Amino acid sequence: DANESKLDLDIDWPGVFKHAQAISKTNPFWNELSGSNPFVHDIAASNRNENNKRLSILKEKPYLFSKISSNRDSLDSSGDELDIDCLLRKTSARRSGRSKSVSDFLDIVDNRRSNPHKTAPQKTTASDMTWLQTDREAYKMAWLSHRQLTRSCLDLEAMSHSPGWAQTQATDIHVVCKLNHEGGSVQLPDSDINIHVPVGHVLPGEFQEVGLKAILNPPLSCNNELSSTVSPLIELTLSNLNTSKAIFLEVKVAAKVKNDPLSQVMSDIVCFFSLNKEGPFKKLENCYIYQDTIQVKLTDLSHVMYAVIAIQASKIQPPATNVWDYVHRTVSVGIYGPKYIHPSFTAVFTVFGHNYIPGKLTICDIKKGGKSMPPVVFQLWGKHTFLLEKPQDLNISLVSCDPDFQVKMEDQSKNIKKEELKSGEMVRQQFLFSMLGCREMHFFVFLVQIKILKSSQVTQFHVTTPDPAPKLSGIINRPKRLQNRKEIKSAPWLLIPTIKYPKFQDKTLSFNTYGVALKTVLRQNKIDYLLEYFKGDTIALLGEDKVKAIGQTKMKEWYVGVLRRKIGLVHCKNVKVISKEQAMDTADSELTTRNLVEQIALPFKKLTYIYSVVLSTVSESVYDWRALAEVLGYSHMSLDDFNEAHIDKESERVAHVVKKMKQDCHANKKKRLFLYDLIVALLKIDCQGLVARLTQDTIILTSAVKLGKSWRELAEKLARLTKQQIEAYEVPHQGKNGAVALEMMWKPAYDFLYTWAAHYGDGYRDVLQDLQSALDKMKNPVTKEWRELTGALILVNCMEVLRASAFSKREEE
């Protein structure tokens, strides 16, 4: 396994920017803003007190932003804690503070060099790092590559009117891992590109640093009539050439040779290799191919190497016209846009000649008002893959599904030429969205259609935009946030009444990874949601995400697994993870999607809920009463069953269906449980965002009830609340004797947990995991007996698997 991972340049950044700690004494934002800033409070806390690992983000001060800087030259060179008062000084009447560039920041650095007595001296870690001080351009590039301006230090209200160009951050997807004599594997994040280093590759006591980087545009020389690349250009770097064993490159590619004899004879998946980025490239012989994966043995090692996977044909024999005719080729599409949406913004449609779609992309040719903009880092909003049998002209159109937004008329439809696809390079088309009128900004859904010209084939998928830029007032005025809590996004179609809910499919789940039990675990005292197994059992793993939870005695890390039709947690150290191909007997770990839904909803049989809250939440969020009625077993219902009070609005019809179900559950308590049946139904129409919201709400309420007066201990652990702050939560609920009755203690506990959870925004997984960890660490953990929070963590970790298996990938007509 990788022992150490770091990004880009091999530089000790804390050392290079070490003077930041000295500057923090004079920076007015450091002690105040950082202390309450949810992005940087950990850094600020560690500088103030090494033992204080986490400061509460509930301790905001209403007068926080009214303090004025007294030292106008203070500057933290990391760029995260810049003295804004200094940056916004009026150097020019035409330049607003919002448009300050990196050059302006560097001018301030120069200004400080000419006044050395004002600041602490900068220390570097080694003499060879002095180029960062002397070479202005090197300093600028290093700063740009590694740091980003923290939005929380700027006026977000003002920035929300700009198209979101304010972030500068690392854009190359690059990983560096340090491996010892034991070897290990290095994976490029979010990709199917791996380097495997065998045991004994380097001598005992020595180390090998392996760097992996994906260059999105492949070499032109590898794309022609006889050859077409199906992976990015992979840059591989090694620090140590004193090696005794070869290493292996493993890549999953976006193509498969057709089964017909001609294709099998005429073409092959190959690896081209070079020591230079521009080539020349030679074909490597040591390749092993299974299905869509190629493994290449690299023996001719150098400090820097380049490899790319391609389909190569020996010759083109009619009826084939080029190498594409010999393969089934998948085309990958990514939709990119700014981090936050604005009244006017650009979305970029990108076609890749491989199946690697990065999470961030630098766009260099954005135009605004007829002028070219500087390079911008765009975020991945959505992706899709489809089969394209040969290079063909494509027509791309983006259509807003929300009447508040529209695509600029001339941008509504664009073409991509087949010659562009044959080149293997990234192809991009820009679409400008704008808001109609002066309505409230909100995220929305748009439809992407890809038509193959001269053919009737159409591929389409939906994309949900991110939220608008947050407003500064929303950070300071916390009480308002509690009434209008941010909605956790549901599946895209949940937001559009005109689009049908998908059809739930009861079929066997497909697993990618399995675990072989290394020991037998049978518990005398049975524990809910924890699996029992015998040594040698093959356990299907629902992903490789880990859950932190207490076992019999201590905190452990667990995988979510399936064994003998039961879903539960298995201790990570008790299983050896293997791939689907390596699993021998998987009969004991089979499971259907219907069984999955019914099991992951089990915690809701024991969770406490407020009926009126559940009713209003569901009726506001479900847009088709018929879809809900059908999965609840009321497919016979028609509009005639509604009285006049419920006929007008869809939300009232949904509420009527939920009320009818509640009555039926009350009449037949032995067979039906209201909340459990409702969650199962919502999962069956893919309302995962709504289920996540209900899960968080009910877990918080049940936790408050279970805690009682011990909520005070939890408040100290979670948010470092003082006795005075704890009392402030209890005052509104005190009786006539000035104390909170024991049966009413859940109310201040609920107020605290709700306020604490609101700071996570839509990060409901983090809320549940952090709450589980904090409860497990209490003196007398309530989670020893009450395991439903563990069940809720299993639920949220199974949602992606459920969506992938139970719902058709094609949009239903």
Side-chain angles (χ1 to χ4, degrees):
D1 291 341
N3 297 326
E4 184 180 338
S5 180
K6 54 190 175 176
L7 287 174
D8 223 352
L9 299 174
D10 185 18
I11 295 174
D12 182 8
W13 288 100
V16 175
F17 297 117
K18 204 167 183 178
H19 69 288
Q21 291 178 5
I23 297 306
S24 68
K25 295 172 185 174
T26 59
N27 187 335
F29 286 93
W30 187 264
N31 289 326
E32 300 296 340
L33 184 58
S34 302
S36 67
N37 185 332
F39 297 102
V40 295
H41 68 263
D42 285 342
I43 304 164
S46 63
N47 271 6
R48 282 197 289 276
N49 179 2
E50 283 302 318
N51 300 321
N52 186 358
K53 292 295 179 196
R54 183 179 176 87
L55 279 192
S56 171
I57 53 177
L58 305 181
K59 295 181 182 176
E60 273 84 359
K61 300 176 184 177
Y63 54 84
L64 194 63
F65 292 88
S66 62
K67 299 202 173 183
I68 296 169
S69 165
S70 56
N71 182 352
R72 287 173 174 268
D73 286 324
S74 68
L75 172 74
D76 180 333
S77 70
S78 74
D80 274 0
E81 288 296 338
L82 296 167
D83 181 341
I84 299 303
D85 187 49
C86 168
L87 293 183
L88 302 187
R89 68 193 190 280
K90 293 182 181 177
T91 51
S92 164
R94 290 174 298 167
R95 298 283 295 276
S96 70
R98 202 174 67 198
S99 65
K100 281 283 182 278
S101 66
V102 177
S103 301
D104 293 315
F105 302 148
L106 294 166
D107 288 339
I108 299 164
V109 176
D110 289 348
N111 191 30
R112 284 173 49 213
R113 286 189 186 133
S114 61
N115 296 281
H117 61 280
K118 287 192 180 181
T119 55
Q122 178 171 334
K123 295 177 183 177
T124 52
T125 53
S127 58
D128 63 345
M129 300 309 295
T130 53
W131 57 272
L132 273 182
Q133 290 172 293
T134 54
D135 187 338
R136 176 190 174 93
E137 194 62 28
Y139 182 98
K140 176 179 171 181
M141 293 313 296
W143 189 93
L144 269 173
S145 177
H146 285 268
R147 312 301 299 178
Q148 62 178 351
L149 286 176
T150 302
R151 285 174 172 274
S152 53
C153 296
L154 305 173
D155 183 351
L156 293 181
E157 189 67 61
M159 280 177 60
S160 67
H161 301 297
S162 90
W165 317 123
Q167 61 267 29
T168 56
Q169 54 212 9
T171 56
D172 278 332
I173 306 301
H174 190 186
V175 64
V176 180
C177 289
K178 190 174 182 180
L179 305 174
N180 59 16
H181 172 73
E182 296 296 318
S185 294
V186 182
Q187 183 179 28
L188 195 68
D190 302 318
S191 79
D192 293 310
I193 300 169
N194 299 272
I195 290 290
H196 302 296
V197 178
V199 177
H201 169 70
V202 290
L203 298 171
E206 289 195 14
F207 294 93
Q208 176 71 281
E209 282 192 8
V210 180
L212 261 180
K213 183 176 178 181
I215 299 164
L216 297 176
N217 277 331
L220 291 173
S221 60
C222 297
N223 281 285
N224 49 56
E225 288 299 313
L226 293 172
S227 169
S228 178
T229 55
V230 286
S231 83
L233 179 61
I234 301 159
E235 181 183 275
L236 172 62
T237 55
L238 300 176
S239 63
N240 186 354
L241 296 183
N242 183 24
T243 59
S244 57
K245 289 188 179 180
I247 61 175
F248 295 87
L249 169 67
E250 187 177 272
V251 184
K252 193 172 181 179
V253 295
K256 194 175 177 183
V257 176
K258 290 178 180 176
N259 284 330
D260 63 272
L262 184 64
S263 299
Q264 291 286 323
V265 170
M266 290 296 180
S267 64
D268 202 3
I269 299 176
V270 299
C271 177
F272 290 119
F273 180 83
S274 176
L275 299 181
N276 295 308
K277 189 175 177 180
E278 291 76 26
F281 286 84
K282 65 175 183 179
K283 187 172 87 171
L284 293 183
E285 298 302 327
N286 297 322
C287 296
Y288 172 65
I289 299 159
Y290 50 101
Q291 294 178 354
D292 59 351
T293 303
I294 181 168
Q295 194 174 73
V296 185
K297 186 177 182 181
L298 300 176
T299 52
D300 185 15
L301 300 180
S302 175
H303 284 300
V304 183
M305 296 163 283
Y306 295 89
V308 65
I309 312 302
I311 299 285
Q312 189 183 42
S314 52
K315 68 175 182 176
I316 306 298
Q317 184 169 317
T321 56
N322 63 53
V323 68
W324 278 54
D325 292 325
Y326 294 135
V327 293
H328 292 296
R329 182 76 181 263
T330 302
V331 171
S332 300
V333 168
I335 301 290
Y336 291 84
K339 189 174 184 179
Y340 301 109
I341 61 167
H342 306 269
S344 175
F345 64 86
T346 300
V348 180
F349 176 95
T350 310
V351 180
F352 297 95
H354 43 77
N355 59 357
Y356 174 55
I357 305 178
K360 291 177 182 175
L361 193 65
T362 305
I363 311 291
C364 302
D365 53 356
I366 293 287
K367 292 192 182 296
K368 189 186 170 206
K371 294 182 179 178
S372 294
M373 299 293 294
V376 185
V377 176
F378 271 27
Q379 318 286 322
L380 179 64
W381 286 1
K383 58 185 177 181
H384 190 76
T385 58
F386 64 97
L387 196 69
L388 189 64
E389 290 294 350
K390 59 182 180 181
Q392 296 181 71
D393 293 343
L394 303 179
N395 174 260
I396 315 300
S397 58
L398 268 59
V399 183
S400 172
C401 299
D402 191 305
D404 292 350
F405 293 85
Q406 70 172 16
V407 183
K408 192 176 175 184
M409 189 66 71
E410 55 266 35
D411 284 356
Q412 286 178 358
S413 178
K414 305 222 173 173
N415 291 335
I416 292 175
K417 299 286 184 189
K418 66 179 180 182
E419 286 74 20
E420 294 177 288
L421 295 176
K422 282 169 74 173
S423 73
E425 293 195 357
M426 260 193 314
V427 185
R428 296 196 301 262
Q429 293 288 358
Q430 297 174 17
F431 295 83
L432 184 67
F433 281 83
S434 57
M435 193 174 182
L436 298 171
C438 300
R439 299 178 177 89
E440 182 74 20
M441 280 290 292
H442 56 85
F443 70 90
F444 66 98
V445 177
F446 58 89
L447 177 71
V448 181
Q449 279 194 330
I450 306 164
K451 296 177 186 173
I452 297 177
L453 298 177
K454 302 176 186 174
S455 162
S456 58
Q457 188 182 341
V458 177
T459 300
Q460 62 181 35
F461 61 101
H462 287 89
V463 176
T464 305
T465 71
D467 291 315
K471 293 185 178 179
L472 203 60
S473 58
I475 298 170
I476 301 169
N477 302 329
R478 288 293 171 196
K480 190 177 178 184
R481 178 87 176 268
L482 298 184
Q483 279 86 43
N484 304 321
R485 204 181 69 149
K486 185 176 176 184
E487 169 62 54
I488 298 163
K489 286 182 198 170
S490 278
W493 39 74
L494 187 66
L495 305 161
I496 316 160
T498 54
I499 291 182
K500 290 181 183 178
Y501 283 92
K503 190 80 173 168
F504 180 79
Q505 297 168 359
D506 185 17
K507 59 184 185 182
T508 305
L509 286 169
S510 173
F511 300 103
N512 292 323
T513 49
Y514 290 83
V516 177
L518 301 175
K519 60 192 265 192
T520 298
V521 175
L522 298 169
R523 298 180 179 84
Q524 196 170 354
N525 300 323
K526 305 298 179 189
I527 301 175
D528 288 341
Y529 305 108
L530 300 192
L531 285 179
E532 293 186 318
Y533 40 89
F534 296 98
K535 185 177 179 180
D537 275 343
T538 302
I539 304 166
L541 301 183
L542 288 126
E544 292 189 42
D545 289 341
K546 295 173 184 176
V547 173
K548 289 180 187 170
I550 199 168
Q552 200 84 45
T553 53
K554 62 181 181 179
M555 289 272 287
K556 296 174 180 174
E557 286 194 329
W558 312 78
Y559 292 122
V560 180
V562 178
L563 184 63
R564 288 179 274 278
R565 296 187 67 190
K566 187 182 177 189
I567 299 172
L569 298 181
V570 53
H571 186 199
C572 293
K573 289 187 178 176
N574 288 352
V575 291
K576 181 188 178 186
V577 177
I578 59 173
S579 67
K580 181 163 52 177
E581 290 78 14
Q582 294 170 297
M584 301 290 286
D585 182 13
T586 59
D588 278 350
S589 51
E590 286 183 356
L591 195 76
T592 64
T593 50
R594 183 178 61 81
N595 201 289
L596 174 69
V597 168
E598 289 167 356
Q599 278 203 60
I600 60 180
L602 281 175
F604 290 92
K605 287 189 173 183
K606 297 180 182 178
L607 290 177
T608 306
Y609 63 93
I610 300 170
Y611 172 65
S612 59
V613 174
V614 172
L615 179 66
S616 62
T617 305
V618 173
S619 58
E620 287 166 11
S621 306
V622 174
Y623 286 89
D624 184 354
W625 71 268
R626 288 180 195 276
L628 183 63
E630 191 173 327
V631 287
L632 285 172
Y634 302 130
S635 52
H636 59 276
M637 281 182 75
S638 69
L639 287 174
D640 298 334
D641 296 315
F642 297 95
N643 58 37
E644 288 183 14
H646 296 124
I647 202 87
D648 291 340
K649 286 186 181 175
E650 193 72 18
S651 60
E652 288 166 356
R653 294 174 194 163
V654 172
H656 179 74
V657 173
V658 175
K659 285 175 187 172
K660 177 170 171 51
M661 181 210 169
K662 175 69 173 170
Q663 289 165 359
D664 291 351
C665 291
H666 190 71
N668 192 357
K669 288 182 180 176
K670 287 185 179 177
K671 284 193 174 180
R672 298 197 75 175
L673 285 166
F674 170 71
L675 192 59
Y676 172 79
D677 283 10
L678 180 63
I679 293 296
V680 168
L682 293 173
L683 287 171
K684 283 185 175 179
I685 56 173
D686 201 28
C687 293
Q688 292 196 355
L690 177 55
V691 171
R693 185 179 176 188
L694 291 170
T695 304
Q696 181 172 314
D697 287 353
T698 50
I699 283 290
I700 283 173
L701 178 63
T702 314
S703 301
V705 173
K706 293 281 178 189
L707 281 164
K709 65 180 181 182
S710 58
W711 84 269
R712 297 164 183 165
E713 183 194 340
L714 183 75
E716 287 177 18
K717 279 189 185 302
L718 268 183
R720 299 188 182 276
L721 291 198
T722 62
K723 283 187 178 178
Q724 291 83 358
Q725 288 167 320
I726 289 170
E727 283 170 13
Y729 275 101
E730 294 187 352
V731 166
H733 308 290
Q734 287 173 354
K736 291 180 182 177
N737 60 354
V740 181
L742 199 57
E743 65 272 15
M744 299 296 286
M745 194 60 85
W746 69 271
K747 290 189 175 182
Y750 180 75
D751 290 347
F752 161 71
L753 283 172
Y754 207 98
T755 309
W756 166 76
H759 286 80
Y760 285 79
D762 53 4
Y764 61 92
R765 282 195 188 199
D766 295 332
V767 170
L768 299 176
Q769 181 62 80
D770 289 356
L771 181 58
Q772 171 90 52
S773 300
L775 290 173
D776 282 342
K777 288 174 185 171
M778 290 176 70
K779 287 173 188 168
N780 296 305
V782 295
T783 45
K784 277 248 178 175
E785 305 298 325
W786 176 64
R787 287 278 172 172
E788 272 53 63
L789 178 47
T790 310
L793 279 169
I794 291 174
L795 163 69
V796 298
N797 274 282
C798 291
M799 281 184 172
E800 287 176 19
V801 175
L802 174 64
R803 177 172 281 171
S805 299
F807 301 101
S808 173
K809 289 180 182 170
R810 286 183 175 276
E811 194 64 47
E812 294 197 46
E813 291 301 325

